[in-house]
Amino acid sequence: MEEGTYESLGYCADTDYSARQWDTRADCDVRQILDRIADKWSLLTIALLSGRTMRFTELRREIDGVSQRMLTRTLRHLERDGLVRRTVYPVVPPRVDYELTPLGRSLHHTIQALVDWTETHQREIAAARTAYDEAEAAAV
């Protein structure tokens, strides 16, 4: 085993950054939250709700490929995490609106920064992928 490497994957005491925040144990809160907010349906839902309040059918129409079941689960999880507010209006037929909470809006700013970074560096990433693939093909 390499010097400075520990057998336990969860051992993080001597790292320079807070590696525990990325702990892969199932009971790690940070990992659970990251898994939730970083999935594609959550990201798309948060992005769409950043602009305005929307109804379920509007969200489903805007998110290409999401099933009714998956969108329902995503919205429930985001609501449980305090990122989305669900408002039910007592009318016939029932009307339900979804909007970002202040916490959800703060997350959207972070997500937007990641999108901006990706757009800025997409050519560099594409070039790195091409170079890697060419090196892998040459090594075979």
Coordinates of all heavy atoms in Angstrom, one line a residue, residues 21-65:
Q21 N -17.0 15.5 3.8 CA -18.2 15.9 3.1 C -18.5 15.1 1.8 O -19.6 15.2 1.3 CB -18.0 17.4 2.7 CG -16.9 17.7 1.7 CD -16.8 19.2 1.5 OE1 -17.8 19.9 1.3 NE2 -15.6 19.7 1.4
W22 N -17.5 14.4 1.3 CA -17.7 13.5 0.1 C -17.8 12.1 0.5 O -17.7 11.2 -0.4 CB -16.6 13.8 -0.8 CG -16.5 15.2 -1.2 CD1 -15.5 16.1 -0.7 CD2 -17.3 15.9 -2.1 NE1 -15.7 17.3 -1.3 CE2 -16.8 17.2 -2.1 CE3 -18.4 15.6 -2.9 CZ2 -17.4 18.2 -2.9 CZ3 -18.9 16.5 -3.7 CH2 -18.4 17.8 -3.7
D23 N -17.9 11.8 1.8 CA -17.9 10.4 2.3 C -19.0 9.6 1.5 O -20.1 10.1 1.3 CB -18.2 10.4 3.8 CG -17.9 9.1 4.4 OD1 -18.0 8.0 3.8 OD2 -17.5 9.1 5.6
T24 N -18.6 8.4 1.1 CA -19.6 7.6 0.4 C -20.4 6.6 1.2 O -21.2 5.9 0.7 CB -18.8 6.7 -0.7 OG1 -17.8 5.9 0.1 CG2 -18.0 7.6 -1.6
R25 N -20.3 6.7 2.5 CA -21.2 5.9 3.4 C -22.6 6.3 3.2 O -23.0 7.4 3.0 CB -20.8 6.1 4.8 CG -19.4 5.5 5.2 CD -19.1 5.8 6.6 NE -19.0 7.3 6.7 CZ -18.5 7.9 7.8 NH1 -18.1 7.2 8.8 NH2 -18.5 9.2 7.8
A26 N -23.5 5.3 3.2 CA -24.9 5.5 3.0 C -25.5 6.5 3.9 O -26.5 7.1 3.6 CB -25.6 4.2 3.0
D27 N -25.0 6.6 5.1 CA -25.6 7.5 6.1 C -25.0 8.9 6.1 O -25.3 9.7 7.0 CB -25.5 6.9 7.5 CG -24.0 6.7 8.0 OD1 -23.1 6.8 7.1 OD2 -23.8 6.5 9.2
C28 N -24.3 9.2 5.1 CA -23.6 10.5 5.1 C -24.6 11.5 4.5 O -25.1 11.4 3.4 CB -22.4 10.5 4.2 SG -21.6 12.1 4.0
D29 N -25.0 12.5 5.3 CA -26.0 13.5 4.9 C -25.6 14.3 3.6 O -26.4 14.5 2.7 CB -26.3 14.5 6.0 CG -27.1 13.9 7.1 OD1 -27.8 12.8 6.9 OD2 -27.1 14.5 8.2
V30 N -24.3 14.7 3.6 CA -23.9 15.5 2.5 C -24.0 14.7 1.2 O -24.4 15.2 0.1 CB -22.4 16.0 2.7 CG1 -21.9 16.7 1.4 CG2 -22.4 17.0 3.8
R31 N -23.6 13.5 1.2 CA -23.6 12.6 0.1 C -25.1 12.4 -0.4 O -25.4 12.5 -1.6 CB -23.0 11.2 0.4 CG -23.1 10.2 -0.7 CD -22.4 10.7 -2.0 NE -22.5 9.7 -3.0 CZ -21.7 8.8 -3.3 NH1 -20.6 8.6 -2.7 NH2 -21.9 8.0 -4.3
Q32 N -26.0 12.2 0.5 CA -27.4 12.1 0.2 C -28.0 13.4 -0.5 O -28.7 13.3 -1.4 CB -28.2 11.7 1.4 CG -27.9 10.4 2.0 CD -28.6 10.1 3.3 OE1 -29.3 10.9 3.8 NE2 -28.4 8.9 3.8
I33 N -27.6 14.5 0.1 CA -28.1 15.8 -0.5 C -27.5 16.0 -1.9 O -28.2 16.3 -2.8 CB -27.7 16.9 0.5 CG1 -28.5 16.8 1.8 CG2 -28.0 18.3 -0.2 CD1 -28.0 17.7 2.9
L34 N -26.2 15.7 -2.0 CA -25.6 15.9 -3.4 C -26.2 14.9 -4.4 O -26.5 15.3 -5.5 CB -24.1 15.6 -3.3 CG -23.3 16.8 -2.7 CD1 -21.8 16.4 -2.5 CD2 -23.4 18.0 -3.5
D35 N -26.5 13.7 -4.0 CA -27.1 12.7 -4.8 C -28.5 13.2 -5.3 O -28.9 13.1 -6.5 CB -27.3 11.4 -4.2 CG -26.0 10.6 -4.1 OD1 -25.0 11.0 -4.7 OD2 -26.0 9.6 -3.3
R36 N -29.2 13.9 -4.4 CA -30.5 14.4 -4.7 C -30.5 15.6 -5.6 O -31.2 15.6 -6.6 CB -31.2 14.8 -3.4 CG -32.5 15.6 -3.5 CD -33.7 14.8 -4.0 NE -33.8 13.4 -3.4 CZ -34.1 13.1 -2.2 NH1 -34.5 14.1 -1.4 NH2 -34.1 11.9 -1.8
I37 N -29.7 16.6 -5.3 CA -29.7 17.8 -6.1 C -29.0 17.7 -7.4 O -29.2 18.5 -8.3 CB -29.3 19.0 -5.2 CG1 -27.8 18.9 -4.8 CG2 -30.2 19.2 -4.1 CD1 -27.2 20.1 -4.1
A38 N -28.1 16.7 -7.5 CA -27.3 16.6 -8.7 C -27.8 15.7 -9.8 O -27.2 15.6 -10.8 CB -25.8 16.2 -8.3
D39 N -29.0 15.1 -9.5 CA -29.5 14.2 -10.6 C -30.2 15.1 -11.6 O -30.5 16.3 -11.4 CB -30.5 13.2 -10.0 CG -31.8 13.8 -9.6 OD1 -32.6 14.2 -10.5 OD2 -32.2 13.8 -8.4
K40 N -30.3 14.6 -12.8 CA -30.7 15.4 -14.0 C -32.1 16.0 -13.8 O -32.3 17.1 -14.2 CB -30.5 14.7 -15.3 CG -31.5 13.5 -15.5 CD -31.2 12.9 -16.9 CE -32.2 11.8 -17.1 NZ -31.9 11.2 -18.5
W41 N -33.0 15.2 -13.2 CA -34.4 15.7 -13.1 C -34.4 16.9 -12.1 O -35.1 17.9 -12.3 CB -35.3 14.6 -12.8 CG -35.3 13.5 -13.7 CD1 -35.1 12.2 -13.4 CD2 -35.5 13.5 -15.1 NE1 -35.2 11.4 -14.5 CE2 -35.4 12.2 -15.6 CE3 -35.7 14.5 -16.1 CZ2 -35.5 11.8 -17.0 CZ3 -35.8 14.2 -17.4 CH2 -35.7 12.9 -17.8
S42 N -33.7 16.8 -11.0 CA -33.7 17.9 -10.1 C -33.1 19.1 -10.6 O -33.6 20.2 -10.5 CB -32.9 17.4 -8.8 OG -33.6 16.4 -8.1
L43 N -31.9 19.0 -11.3 CA -31.3 20.1 -11.9 C -32.2 20.8 -12.9 O -32.3 22.1 -12.9 CB -30.0 19.7 -12.6 CG -28.8 19.3 -11.7 CD1 -27.7 18.7 -12.5 CD2 -28.4 20.5 -10.8
L44 N -32.8 20.1 -13.8 CA -33.7 20.7 -14.8 C -34.9 21.3 -14.1 O -35.4 22.4 -14.5 CB -34.2 19.6 -15.8 CG -33.1 19.1 -16.7 CD1 -33.6 17.9 -17.5 CD2 -32.7 20.2 -17.7
T45 N -35.5 20.7 -13.1 CA -36.6 21.2 -12.4 C -36.3 22.5 -11.7 O -37.0 23.5 -11.8 CB -37.2 20.2 -11.3 OG1 -37.6 19.0 -12.0 CG2 -38.4 20.8 -10.6
I46 N -35.1 22.6 -11.0 CA -34.7 23.8 -10.3 C -34.4 24.9 -11.4 O -34.8 26.0 -11.2 CB -33.4 23.5 -9.5 CG1 -33.8 22.6 -8.3 CG2 -32.8 24.8 -9.0 CD1 -32.6 22.0 -7.6
A47 N -33.8 24.5 -12.5 CA -33.6 25.5 -13.5 C -34.8 26.1 -14.0 O -35.0 27.4 -14.2 CB -32.7 24.9 -14.6
L48 N -35.8 25.3 -14.3 CA -37.1 25.8 -14.8 C -37.8 26.7 -13.8 O -38.4 27.7 -14.2 CB -38.0 24.6 -15.3 CG -37.6 24.0 -16.6 CD1 -38.3 22.7 -16.8 CD2 -37.8 25.0 -17.8
L49 N -37.8 26.3 -12.6 CA -38.5 27.0 -11.5 C -37.8 28.3 -11.1 O -38.4 29.1 -10.4 CB -38.8 26.1 -10.3 CG -39.8 25.0 -10.5 CD1 -39.8 24.1 -9.2 CD2 -41.1 25.5 -10.8
S50 N -36.6 28.5 -11.6 CA -35.9 29.7 -11.2 C -36.5 30.9 -11.9 O -36.4 32.0 -11.3 CB -34.4 29.6 -11.7 OG -34.3 29.7 -13.1
G51 N -37.2 30.7 -13.0 CA -37.8 31.9 -13.7 C -39.1 32.2 -13.2 O -39.5 33.4 -13.2
R52 N -39.9 31.2 -12.7 CA -41.3 31.5 -12.4 C -41.9 30.3 -11.7 O -41.4 29.2 -11.7 CB -42.1 31.9 -13.6 CG -42.2 30.8 -14.6 CD -42.9 31.3 -15.9 NE -42.9 30.2 -16.9 CZ -43.9 29.4 -17.2 NH1 -45.0 29.5 -16.5 NH2 -43.9 28.5 -18.1
T53 N -43.1 30.6 -11.1 CA -43.9 29.5 -10.6 C -44.5 28.7 -11.8 O -44.9 29.3 -12.8 CB -45.0 30.1 -9.7 OG1 -44.4 30.8 -8.7 CG2 -46.0 29.0 -9.2
M54 N -44.6 27.4 -11.6 CA -45.1 26.6 -12.7 C -46.0 25.5 -12.1 O -45.9 25.1 -11.0 CB -44.0 25.9 -13.5 CG -43.0 26.9 -14.2 SD -41.7 26.1 -15.1 CE -42.6 25.5 -16.5
R55 N -46.9 25.0 -13.0 CA -47.8 23.9 -12.7 C -47.1 22.6 -13.1 O -46.2 22.6 -13.9 CB -49.1 24.1 -13.3 CG -49.8 25.4 -12.8 CD -51.1 25.6 -13.5 NE -52.1 24.6 -13.0 CZ -53.4 24.6 -13.3 NH1 -53.9 25.5 -14.1 NH2 -54.2 23.7 -12.8
F56 N -47.6 21.5 -12.6 CA -47.0 20.2 -12.9 C -47.0 20.0 -14.4 O -46.0 19.5 -14.9 CB -47.8 19.1 -12.1 CG -47.2 17.8 -12.3 CD1 -46.3 17.3 -11.5 CD2 -47.6 16.9 -13.4 CE1 -45.8 16.0 -11.6 CE2 -47.1 15.7 -13.6 CZ -46.1 15.2 -12.7
T57 N -48.1 20.2 -15.0 CA -48.2 19.9 -16.5 C -47.2 20.8 -17.3 O -46.6 20.3 -18.3 CB -49.6 20.1 -17.0 OG1 -50.1 21.4 -16.7 CG2 -50.5 19.0 -16.5
E58 N -47.0 22.0 -16.8 CA -46.0 22.8 -17.5 C -44.6 22.3 -17.4 O -43.8 22.2 -18.3 CB -46.0 24.3 -16.9 CG -47.3 25.0 -17.2 CD -47.2 26.4 -16.5 OE1 -47.2 26.4 -15.3 OE2 -47.1 27.4 -17.2
L59 N -44.3 21.9 -16.1 CA -43.0 21.3 -15.9 C -42.8 20.0 -16.7 O -41.7 19.8 -17.4 CB -42.8 20.9 -14.4 CG -42.5 22.1 -13.5 CD1 -42.7 21.7 -12.0 CD2 -41.1 22.6 -13.7
R60 N -43.8 19.2 -16.7 CA -43.6 17.9 -17.5 C -43.5 18.2 -19.0 O -42.7 17.5 -19.7 CB -44.9 17.0 -17.2 CG -44.7 15.7 -17.9 CD -45.6 14.6 -17.3 NE -45.3 13.4 -18.0 CZ -46.3 12.6 -18.4 NH1 -47.5 12.9 -18.2 NH2 -46.0 11.5 -19.0
R61 N -44.2 19.2 -19.5 CA -44.0 19.5 -20.9 C -42.6 20.1 -21.2 O -42.1 19.8 -22.3 CB -45.1 20.5 -21.3 CG -45.2 20.8 -22.7 CD -46.4 21.7 -23.1 NE -46.7 22.8 -22.1 CZ -47.8 22.8 -21.3 NH1 -48.7 21.8 -21.4 NH2 -48.0 23.8 -20.5
E62 N -42.1 20.8 -20.3 CA -40.8 21.4 -20.5 C -39.6 20.5 -20.3 O -38.5 20.7 -20.9 CB -40.6 22.6 -19.6 CG -41.5 23.8 -19.9 CD -41.2 24.5 -21.3 OE1 -40.0 24.6 -21.6 OE2 -42.2 24.9 -22.0
I63 N -39.7 19.5 -19.5 CA -38.6 18.6 -19.2 C -38.7 17.3 -20.1 O -39.5 16.4 -19.9 CB -38.6 18.1 -17.7 CG1 -38.5 19.4 -16.8 CG2 -37.4 17.2 -17.5 CD1 -38.6 19.1 -15.4
D64 N -38.0 17.4 -21.2 CA -38.0 16.3 -22.2 C -37.6 15.0 -21.6 O -36.5 14.8 -21.0 CB -37.0 16.7 -23.3 CG -37.2 15.7 -24.5 OD1 -38.3 15.3 -24.8 OD2 -36.1 15.4 -25.1
G65 N -38.5 14.0 -21.7 CA -38.1 12.6 -21.3 C -38.5 12.2 -19.9 O -38.4 11.1 -19.5

